[in-house]
Amino acid sequence: MDLTTRWLGLELAHPIVPGAGPLYDGLDGVRRLEDAGAPLITLRALFEEQIVGEQFALARAIDSSSDAFAEASSFLPGTHEFVLGPDEYLEHLRCSKAATRLPIVASLNGTTQGGWLDYATLLEQAGADALELNLYELATHPERTAAAVESALLDVVRAVRRRIRIPIAVKLSPFFTSLPNVAHGLVKAGADGLVLFTRFYQPDIDPGAQEYRPTLRLSTPDELNLRLRWIAILHGRVGAQLALTGGVHHGSDVVKALQCGASVVQVVSALLAQGVDQLHALVAQLRVWMEEHDWNSVTSLVGCMSHQHCPDPRQLERANYARLLQSWARE
Ligand SMILES: Cc1cc2nc3c(=O)[nH]c(=O)nc-3n(C[C@H](O)[C@H](O)[C@H](O)COP(=O)(O)O)c2cc1C
């Protein structure tokens, strides 16, 4: 049974990788994941706001009479709200590289061009084997067009590509009118892999206090289908490898993701909820399924149900949609 796969130029022992999150904020976490059989580690993201915030703080310290940055910086989260500051992040990356033989994917989260992107270079110099770039952006301005939003994201990827040589994965949101076109553009701009999808943590509101109530809920398998569909549509069409993140809780979820065209799945909620040893269970469940269904390699499984095998994907989508709506019957 060959479970190996490739992701971001790396040969991995199996396709189930811990995704960006709090699982490895300390070296203990890194070692625990290595012991649990993780084939690579994706660090949590360093945010544009953190880096820019430090740059503002430095500018204010140099010219304390200036309030030029006061308004902008008042929107930024305080540096104490981030688990790792920019310098600590680089140090953590260096120490993690020294403490483990696993490849480490560093992560940056931001949406604008600027000096903060120099951190891509610093992360590469600190030993990152690849970079995951999370382009989390919710368009909120009525006059900003889809084309402007997309073009800004492509500019960020181009700017990062110019700075570093290591592979780049772009983690993106599902909210684009033509996701395949955006994906195609990201690959042309320099992305080697696409990670589908960023989760949007919709804040609740407290009607009495008239306040936002941000709540971080772990995912459920209900989130899987949106990702499966888009992985199946993009597989083999955009010149990049695909990773699925969001809703993987069982080996059968992994099988579906691979069949649709993911080269790897990223897992966070399942490991937070059940402990990192759940990784062993997921790999075992994948292996058992493959044995029972006579598949002897992950690479042969990848994409066997993608739209690449469908002569007219648009008609297939329309037909599935129409059939689904007709299928409901009162009990
Ligand atoms: C506590 C927590 C922290 C996270 N931090 C990050 C992060 O720093 N960067 C990022 O791109 N995703 C982050 N994520 C999102 C995960 O990487 C992942 O995409 C998401 O949780 C969906 O996968 P899951 O269903 O396996 O949890 C975080 C998720 C959780 C639960």
Coordinates of all heavy atoms in Angstrom, one line a residue, residues 19-22 43-47 107 109 132 134 171 195 197-199 201 216-220 223 227 245-249 266-270 272, ligand 1:
G19 N -3.1 21.2 9.6 CA -3.2 22.6 9.0 C -2.8 23.7 9.9 O -2.5 23.4 11.1
A20 N -2.7 24.9 9.3 CA -2.3 26.1 10.1 C -3.2 26.2 11.3 O -4.4 26.2 11.2 CB -2.4 27.3 9.2
G21 N -2.6 26.4 12.5 CA -3.4 26.5 13.7 C -2.5 26.5 14.9 O -1.3 26.6 14.8
P22 N -3.1 26.3 16.1 CA -2.4 26.4 17.3 C -1.7 25.1 17.8 O -1.3 25.1 18.9 CB -3.5 26.8 18.3 CG -4.7 26.2 17.8 CD -4.6 26.1 16.3
L43 N 2.7 26.1 10.2 CA 2.6 27.0 11.3 C 1.4 27.9 11.2 O 0.9 28.1 10.1 CB 3.8 27.9 11.4 CG 5.2 27.2 11.7 CD1 6.3 28.2 11.8 CD2 5.1 26.3 12.9
R44 N 0.9 28.4 12.3 CA -0.2 29.4 12.3 C 0.3 30.6 11.5 O 1.5 30.8 11.4 CB -0.7 29.7 13.7 CG 0.2 30.5 14.5 CD -0.5 31.2 15.6 NE -1.0 30.4 16.7 CZ -2.2 30.6 17.2 NH1 -3.1 31.4 16.7 NH2 -2.6 29.8 18.2
A45 N -0.6 31.5 11.1 CA -0.2 32.6 10.3 C 0.3 33.8 11.1 O -0.1 34.1 12.2 CB -1.4 33.1 9.5
L46 N 1.3 34.4 10.4 CA 1.7 35.7 10.9 C 0.9 36.8 10.1 O 0.9 36.7 8.9 CB 3.2 35.8 10.6 CG 4.0 37.0 11.0 CD1 3.9 37.2 12.6 CD2 5.5 36.9 10.6
F47 N 0.3 37.7 10.8 CA -0.7 38.6 10.1 C 0.0 39.9 9.7 O 0.9 40.4 10.4 CB -1.8 39.0 11.1 CG -2.9 37.9 11.1 CD1 -2.7 36.7 11.8 CD2 -4.1 38.1 10.5 CE1 -3.6 35.7 11.8 CE2 -5.1 37.1 10.5 CZ -4.8 35.9 11.2
S107 N 3.5 30.6 7.4 CA 2.2 31.1 6.9 C 2.1 32.6 7.1 O 2.4 33.1 8.2 CB 1.1 30.3 7.6 OG -0.2 30.9 7.2
N109 N -0.6 36.0 6.5 CA -2.0 36.3 6.2 C -2.1 37.8 6.0 O -1.8 38.6 6.8 CB -2.9 35.9 7.4 CG -4.3 36.1 7.1 OD1 -4.7 37.1 6.5 ND2 -5.2 35.2 7.6
E132 N 2.7 29.3 3.0 CA 1.3 29.3 2.8 C 0.8 30.8 3.0 O 1.1 31.4 4.0 CB 0.5 28.4 3.7 CG -1.0 28.3 3.4 CD -1.7 27.2 4.3 OE1 -1.5 26.0 4.0 OE2 -2.4 27.6 5.2
N134 N -2.3 33.2 3.2 CA -3.7 33.2 3.3 C -4.2 34.6 2.9 O -4.0 35.6 3.6 CB -4.1 32.9 4.8 CG -5.6 32.7 5.0 OD1 -6.4 33.3 4.3 ND2 -5.9 32.0 6.0
K171 N -4.0 30.1 0.2 CA -5.2 29.6 0.8 C -6.3 30.7 0.5 O -6.1 31.9 0.9 CB -5.0 29.5 2.3 CG -6.1 28.9 3.1 CD -5.6 28.6 4.5 CE -6.7 28.0 5.4 NZ -6.1 27.7 6.7
V195 N -5.1 26.1 -1.5 CA -5.7 25.5 -0.3 C -7.1 26.0 -0.3 O -7.4 27.2 -0.1 CB -4.9 25.9 0.9 CG1 -5.5 25.2 2.1 CG2 -3.4 25.5 0.8
F197 N -10.8 25.6 1.6 CA -10.9 27.1 1.6 C -10.7 27.6 3.0 O -10.9 26.9 4.0 CB -12.4 27.5 1.3 CG -12.8 27.3 -0.1 CD1 -13.9 26.4 -0.4 CD2 -12.2 27.9 -1.2 CE1 -14.3 26.2 -1.8 CE2 -12.6 27.8 -2.5 CZ -13.6 26.9 -2.8
T198 N -10.3 28.9 3.1 CA -10.4 29.6 4.3 C -11.8 29.5 4.9 O -12.8 29.6 4.2 CB -10.0 31.1 4.1 OG1 -8.7 31.2 3.6 CG2 -10.3 31.9 5.3
R199 N -11.8 29.3 6.2 CA -13.2 29.4 6.9 C -13.5 30.8 7.3 O -12.6 31.5 7.9 CB -13.2 28.5 8.2 CG -13.5 27.1 8.0 CD -13.4 26.4 9.3 NE -14.7 26.3 10.0 CZ -14.8 26.3 11.3 NH1 -13.8 26.4 12.1 NH2 -16.0 26.1 11.8
Y201 N -15.2 33.0 9.9 CA -15.8 32.8 11.2 C -16.8 34.0 11.4 O -16.5 35.0 11.9 CB -14.7 32.9 12.3 CG -13.7 31.8 12.1 CD1 -12.5 32.0 11.4 CD2 -13.9 30.5 12.6 CE1 -11.6 30.9 11.2 CE2 -13.0 29.5 12.5 CZ -11.9 29.7 11.8 OH -11.0 28.7 11.6
L216 N -15.3 31.2 18.1 CA -14.6 30.3 17.2 C -15.1 28.8 17.5 O -14.9 28.3 18.5 CB -13.1 30.3 17.6 CG -12.2 29.8 16.5 CD1 -10.7 30.2 16.7 CD2 -12.2 28.3 16.3
R217 N -15.9 28.4 16.5 CA -16.4 27.0 16.6 C -15.6 26.1 15.8 O -15.2 26.5 14.6 CB -17.9 26.9 16.2 CG -18.8 27.6 17.1 CD -20.3 27.2 16.9 NE -21.1 27.9 17.8 CZ -21.6 29.1 17.6 NH1 -21.4 29.7 16.4 NH2 -22.4 29.7 18.5
L218 N -15.3 24.9 16.2 CA -14.5 24.0 15.4 C -15.5 23.5 14.3 O -16.7 23.6 14.3 CB -14.1 22.8 16.2 CG -13.1 23.1 17.4 CD1 -12.6 21.9 18.1 CD2 -11.9 23.9 16.8
S219 N -14.9 23.0 13.2 CA -15.7 22.6 12.0 C -16.4 21.3 12.3 O -16.2 20.6 13.2 CB -14.7 22.4 10.8 OG -14.0 21.2 10.9
T220 N -17.4 21.1 11.4 CA -18.1 19.8 11.3 C -17.9 19.2 9.9 O -17.6 20.0 9.0 CB -19.6 19.9 11.6 OG1 -20.2 20.6 10.5 CG2 -19.8 20.7 12.9
E223 N -19.0 20.9 6.4 CA -18.2 21.9 5.6 C -17.5 21.3 4.4 O -16.9 22.0 3.6 CB -17.3 22.7 6.5 CG -18.0 23.4 7.6 CD -17.1 24.3 8.5 OE1 -16.0 24.7 8.0 OE2 -17.5 24.5 9.6
R227 N -16.1 22.2 -0.3 CA -14.7 22.0 -0.7 C -14.5 20.9 -1.8 O -13.8 21.1 -2.7 CB -13.8 21.7 0.5 CG -13.4 22.9 1.3 CD -14.1 23.0 2.6 NE -13.7 24.2 3.3 CZ -14.5 25.0 4.0 NH1 -15.8 24.8 4.1 NH2 -14.0 26.1 4.6
T245 N -8.9 22.0 3.0 CA -9.0 22.3 4.4 C -10.4 22.7 4.8 O -11.0 23.5 4.1 CB -8.0 23.4 4.8 OG1 -8.2 23.7 6.2 CG2 -8.2 24.7 4.1
G246 N -10.9 22.0 5.8 CA -12.3 22.3 6.3 C -13.2 21.1 6.3 O -13.7 20.7 5.2
G247 N -13.5 20.6 7.5 CA -14.5 19.5 7.6 C -14.0 18.1 7.5 O -14.8 17.2 7.4
V248 N -12.7 17.9 7.5 CA -12.1 16.5 7.5 C -12.1 16.0 8.9 O -11.3 16.5 9.8 CB -10.7 16.5 6.9 CG1 -10.2 15.1 7.0 CG2 -10.8 16.9 5.4
H249 N -12.9 15.0 9.2 CA -13.0 14.4 10.5 C -12.9 12.9 10.6 O -12.8 12.3 11.6 CB -14.3 14.8 11.2 CG -14.4 16.3 11.6 ND1 -14.1 16.7 12.9 CD2 -14.6 17.4 10.9 CE1 -14.1 18.0 12.9 NE2 -14.4 18.5 11.7
Q266 N -5.8 19.0 4.9 CA -5.3 19.6 6.1 C -6.3 19.4 7.2 O -7.5 19.6 6.9 CB -5.0 21.1 5.9 CG -4.0 21.4 4.9 CD -3.6 22.9 4.8 OE1 -4.4 23.7 5.4 NE2 -2.6 23.3 4.1
V267 N -5.9 19.1 8.4 CA -6.8 18.8 9.5 C -6.4 19.7 10.7 O -5.2 19.7 11.1 CB -6.7 17.3 9.9 CG1 -7.8 17.0 10.9 CG2 -6.7 16.4 8.7
V268 N -7.4 20.3 11.3 CA -7.1 21.1 12.5 C -8.2 20.8 13.6 O -7.8 20.3 14.6 CB -7.2 22.6 12.2 CG1 -7.0 23.4 13.5 CG2 -6.0 23.0 11.3
S269 N -9.5 21.0 13.2 CA -10.5 20.8 14.3 C -10.5 19.4 14.8 O -10.6 19.2 16.1 CB -11.9 21.1 13.7 OG -12.0 22.4 13.4
A270 N -10.3 18.4 14.0 CA -10.4 17.0 14.5 C -9.2 16.7 15.5 O -9.4 16.0 16.5 CB -10.3 16.0 13.3
L272 N -7.7 19.2 17.3 CA -8.0 20.0 18.5 C -9.0 19.3 19.4 O -8.9 19.2 20.6 CB -8.5 21.4 18.1 CG -7.4 22.3 17.5 CD1 -8.1 23.6 17.1 CD2 -6.3 22.6 18.5
Ligands
LIG1 C1 -7.9 27.8 16.7 C2 -7.6 27.9 15.2 C3 -6.6 28.7 14.8 C4 -6.4 28.8 13.4 N1 -5.3 29.6 13.0 C5 -5.1 29.7 11.6 C6 -4.1 30.5 11.1 O1 -3.3 31.1 11.9 N2 -3.9 30.6 9.8 C7 -4.8 30.0 8.9 O2 -4.6 30.1 7.7 N3 -5.8 29.2 9.4 C8 -6.0 29.0 10.7 N4 -7.0 28.2 11.1 C9 -7.8 27.6 10.1 C10 -7.4 26.1 9.9 O3 -6.1 26.1 9.3 C11 -8.3 25.4 9.0 O4 -8.3 25.9 7.7 C12 -9.8 25.4 9.4 O5 -9.8 25.2 10.8 C13 -10.6 24.3 8.7 O6 -10.0 23.0 8.9 P1 -10.7 22.0 10.0 O7 -12.1 21.7 9.6 O8 -9.8 20.8 9.9 O9 -10.6 22.7 11.3 C14 -7.2 28.1 12.5 C15 -8.2 27.3 13.0 C16 -8.4 27.1 14.3 C17 -9.5 26.2 14.8

